[in-house]
Amino acid sequence: MYPPPVNKEDSVLNVDQAAKPSDSMIRGLNDIPDAWPELPANSSLSAEIGWVQANRLRIVEEKPGHATVVRLDLALSPSPSWAALGWLETSIRSYAKYVDVAAKATASDNGEAEVWRRERMAIEEVKALLDEMRAEG
């Protein structure tokens, strides 16, 4: 009924293991440069993914057996949001998942472009109607 006894050696973390960086450690992700403005929680997914795509190769240094180092100060521009930094972390920890999300975000960009195109056409139609009304009056 009682849990089995725990081997003390199994429950103690080896100090050498704790001090040694591992592949899963990421350093610098929270070191926001002073020059950056206050980051909002979220922005559009396409802006967040676009920022990661534009900056990842510049700011992420991955070395096998060592912690991954993120140098946000080397980014081309400030992050559009905290969520973009989350996507950057996802791109480091699970690149396949990030690529899947990036593909979907890029696909939805085409839909956003279509919405903007329709909005511009509607605005042009309203302007044309106003011009007609002015000409008649």
Side-chain angles (χ1 to χ4, degrees):
M1 293 253 159
Y2 294 104
V6 176
N7 183 346
K8 186 176 179 183
E9 293 173 87
D10 291 341
S11 64
V12 175
L13 180 63
N14 184 332
V15 174
D16 292 335
Q17 289 174 335
K20 184 171 29 170
S22 70
D23 289 333
S24 66
M25 292 177 54
I26 300 173
R27 294 194 179 145
L29 194 57
N30 289 326
D31 296 338
I32 308 299
D34 292 335
W36 283 15
E38 183 68 29
L39 298 179
N42 299 87
S43 65
S44 73
L45 181 60
S46 61
E48 293 168 351
I49 297 298
W51 182 84
V52 173
Q53 288 177 315
N55 289 287
R56 189 178 191 286
L57 291 176
R58 293 179 62 92
I59 66 177
V60 176
E61 181 182 355
E62 296 177 287
K63 291 183 180 177
H66 295 85
T68 297
V69 177
V70 176
R71 297 270 320 271
L72 294 175
D73 59 314
L74 298 178
L76 295 168
S77 62
S79 170
S81 66
W82 282 102
L85 296 178
W87 287 118
L88 178 62
E89 180 180 14
T90 300
S91 79
I92 295 167
R93 292 190 190 276
S94 176
Y95 193 71
K97 180 178 181 180
Y98 167 75
V99 169
D100 184 46
V101 171
K104 290 177 183 173
T106 304
S108 71
D109 275 352
N110 294 337
E112 284 183 39
E114 180 62 24
V115 169
W116 281 106
R117 187 185 68 74
R118 283 189 301 229
E119 288 292 324
R120 280 193 299 273
M121 287 178 57
I123 290 170
E124 289 173 15
E125 288 175 9
V126 169
K127 284 180 180 178
L129 287 171
L130 289 172
D131 288 343
E132 281 181 33
M133 290 170 63
R134 281 188 211 139
E136 291 175 4

